[in-house]
Amino acid sequence: MQVDIGNALAAVADPGVSRDALERLDEDVARAHDGIAAGRADDEFGYAALNLPERTDAAAIEAAVEPVADAEAILTVGIGGSALGAATISEALGGLDDEGASADAAPLYVLDNVDPAHVREILAEVPLDRTAVNVVSRSGTTAETLSNFLVVREAMEEAGVDWTERTVVTTGEAGPLRELADRHDMPALDVPTGVPGRFSALSAVGLVPAAIQGHDIEGLLAGGQRAADSLSSSLFDCPGYAYGAVSYALAQRGAGINAFVPYAERLEFFAEWFAQLWAESLGKDGLGQTPARALGATDQHSQLQLYRAGPRDKVVTMLRPQERADHEIPETDIEGLSYLGGSTLGDLLDAEFEATEASLAAADRPSVRVEIERLDAEALGELLYAMEAACVLYGELANVSTFDQPAVEWGKRAARGLLGGGEFEEAEAVADKTELIVE
């Protein structure tokens, strides 16, 4: 993995970071790295996430999913970090092997919302008797997750399917889900202690669907470990830290929006995962950088106009694999299109990538290039870990509490109170809503 920050330098971009400013910032990076290393050594809350590559037991995950290894579909029931990591990994690795050939991988469906129409559509689409269900909740009491799981369980019972034989549970050491798994002797894996959900992709939380699909779990962890081994006291020696430090420096200079643009369809979910990681971790105390999601080359025909010619409040992160399976563009004698013949779709996508990067630079707009060698398990594991490390470093530099999410918890309490789940003052605030209705 490599990160090119050249187009974020002040000589190229406005806002931008000068080389002198980067050198000064590197002193802060060294101090922040020492704090991160100490947190990892003590397995402190949050910092423990950066120890997952060496502590996650791939064999235990593979053993737990063995009873549902015959699944023709996988249904993850979770929300936020309990679903996005799994969706990101399975979407990136599922469907095609590393050479671009079709792979026999069961498709993943995700129930991470309680929209009743969506839930009904998913349940109507999956073959319930041949579906593996992975329900994920640390507490075992997450309202959205448990509601959806109860609906799935009822649908299976009505279809004559023994849901206990099709379910793998990922949860904390205690709670309703753990008790349910113990009562019905269902496979149960642990949500790692001390790890916020959005940082848990390289654990059982994110790896169960990929394991059922037969993907290289050990490779994902090896890639994560490679990124962990790259952590150092200088941003110039560590791709993850380089990305986190430059993102922080640009935000300090007015780039309060980070448009994350992968140039690979299989990485579209990665942008979703990044958005949660960045927003929930760094949006504190009036600080943070707002993530925006786009897809190259599709959104060059829509959002790029704003990024190049709108307010100077953005940095564009462009992500691509250097190697990919390709498909030749057929020759044609159609006037104006003949130049495409003999090229490939990959050539065109790379040209779109480089043209966008140059377009932004020509307009003095900052961008950062992130590249992985190819989209395989090891490279994906390295990318996931590097972005987590980047986020932690940004939080250290900004002096925010990276690992909590008080605004999220406020909303949870309000929703629970509205549903009659207890007395919560947050629920009472709903009645104070100001109205100005136009009909």
Side-chain angles (χ1 to χ4, degrees):
M1 175 183 166
Q2 64 182 36
V3 174
D4 181 354
I5 60 177
N7 277 2
L9 295 176
V12 178
D14 177 21
V17 189
S18 70
R19 288 299 300 260
D20 287 345
L22 279 180
E23 295 288 352
R24 293 193 299 272
L25 181 61
D26 205 35
E27 298 175 7
D28 295 331
V29 170
R31 287 189 288 271
H33 172 67
D34 289 343
I36 292 169
R40 291 181 65 196
D42 293 339
D43 224 22
E44 290 181 25
F45 179 78
Y47 299 100
L50 299 181
N51 296 328
L52 286 177
E54 60 183 321
R55 298 190 179 174
T56 298
D57 188 342
I61 294 171
E62 289 166 348
V65 305
E66 182 61 32
V68 293
D70 62 342
E72 296 180 14
I74 305 164
L75 184 59
T76 286
V77 185
I79 195 167
S82 294
L84 274 175
T88 295
I89 292 169
S90 291
E91 180 73 13
L93 300 180
L96 297 175
D97 63 21
D98 295 341
E99 304 302 320
S102 294
D104 187 19
L108 175 66
Y109 299 83
V110 179
L111 282 182
D112 61 347
N113 202 343
V114 288
D115 179 344
H118 176 66
V119 173
R120 286 198 302 269
E121 289 169 2
I122 294 294
L123 291 177
E125 185 171 347
V126 299
L128 293 173
D129 60 332
R130 300 183 302 281
T131 294
V133 177
N134 179 212
V135 55
V136 187
S137 170
R138 179 192 302 276
S139 65
T141 61
T142 308
E144 299 92 342
T145 299
L146 272 295
S147 296
N148 275 336
F149 179 57
L150 291 173
V151 171
V152 170
R153 190 174 74 171
E154 180 182 62
M156 285 186 151
E157 289 174 343
E158 291 177 350
V161 178
D162 186 346
W163 58 272
T164 67
E165 294 183 356
R166 306 301 306 170
T167 301
V168 178
V169 173
T170 308
T171 191
E173 296 178 355
L177 270 184
R178 178 65 64 176
E179 294 170 7
L180 188 70
D182 292 343
R183 185 186 317 141
H184 294 283
D185 197 27
M186 293 186 293
L189 291 159
D190 294 335
V191 172
T193 57
V195 177
R198 58 192 176 278
F199 286 90
S200 64
L202 294 175
S203 74
V205 173
L207 298 178
V208 166
I212 298 172
Q213 291 172 322
H215 291 304
D216 184 6
I217 304 303
E218 291 186 355
L220 282 157
L221 296 173
Q225 189 59 53
R226 188 164 63 207
D229 293 341
S230 78
L231 300 185
S232 72
S233 58
S234 173
L235 71 90
F236 298 106
D237 296 326
C238 173
Y241 280 176
Y243 184 76
V246 166
S247 297
Y248 165 76
L250 289 172
Q252 292 292 100
R253 289 158 175 78
I257 297 171
N258 189 331
F260 199 93
V261 191
Y263 276 70
E265 289 275 347
R266 289 163 60 191
L267 287 172
E268 187 172 12
F269 249 115
F270 188 91
E272 298 259 358
W273 173 85
F274 174 85
Q276 185 198 7
L277 179 75
W278 222 243
E280 194 168 5
S281 300
L282 303 175
K284 319 277 171 68
D285 304 325
L287 302 173
Q289 193 178 49
T290 302
R293 297 166 291 186
L295 179 66
T298 300
D299 287 314
Q300 287 175 214
H301 295 265
S302 55
Q303 298 180 36
L304 179 60
Q305 176 65 38
L306 174 67
Y307 301 157
R308 191 180 192 274
R312 293 184 179 275
D313 58 357
K314 303 169 193 66
V315 56
V316 178
T317 300
M318 303 175 66
L319 166 65
R320 72 172 174 183
Q322 295 171 323
E323 301 173 13
R324 67 177 96 223
D326 214 340
H327 196 93
E328 188 171 339
I329 300 172
E331 300 280 355
T332 180
D333 58 3
I334 299 175
E335 186 177 354
L337 295 180
S338 58
Y339 74 96
L340 293 171
S343 297
T344 68
L345 293 177
D347 292 336
L348 178 56
L349 191 59
D350 283 339
E352 298 267 18
F353 179 101
E354 289 160 17
T356 297
E357 190 177 51
S359 172
L360 292 165
D364 302 325
R365 306 302 173 110
S367 67
V368 176
R369 178 191 288 206
V370 180
E371 293 180 299
I372 56 176
E373 187 173 354
R374 65 182 65 85
L375 188 45
D376 61 11
E378 286 198 26
L380 180 61
E382 183 179 16
L383 179 63
L384 286 162
Y385 187 101
M387 287 300 166
E388 290 180 358
C391 183
V392 174
L393 178 74
Y394 187 129
E396 297 286 320
L397 295 174
N399 195 29
V400 300
S401 300
T402 309
F403 303 115
D404 65 4
Q405 52 281 332
V408 175
E409 298 304 325
W410 194 101
K412 287 181 180 179
R413 291 190 296 271
R416 186 166 181 175
L418 290 173
L419 290 170
E423 296 293 330
F424 295 94
E425 64 181 28
E426 292 85 354
E428 298 173 7
V430 175
D432 297 332
K433 178 189 178 302
T434 300
E435 292 185 343
L436 178 56
I437 298 173
V438 178
E439 294 183 344

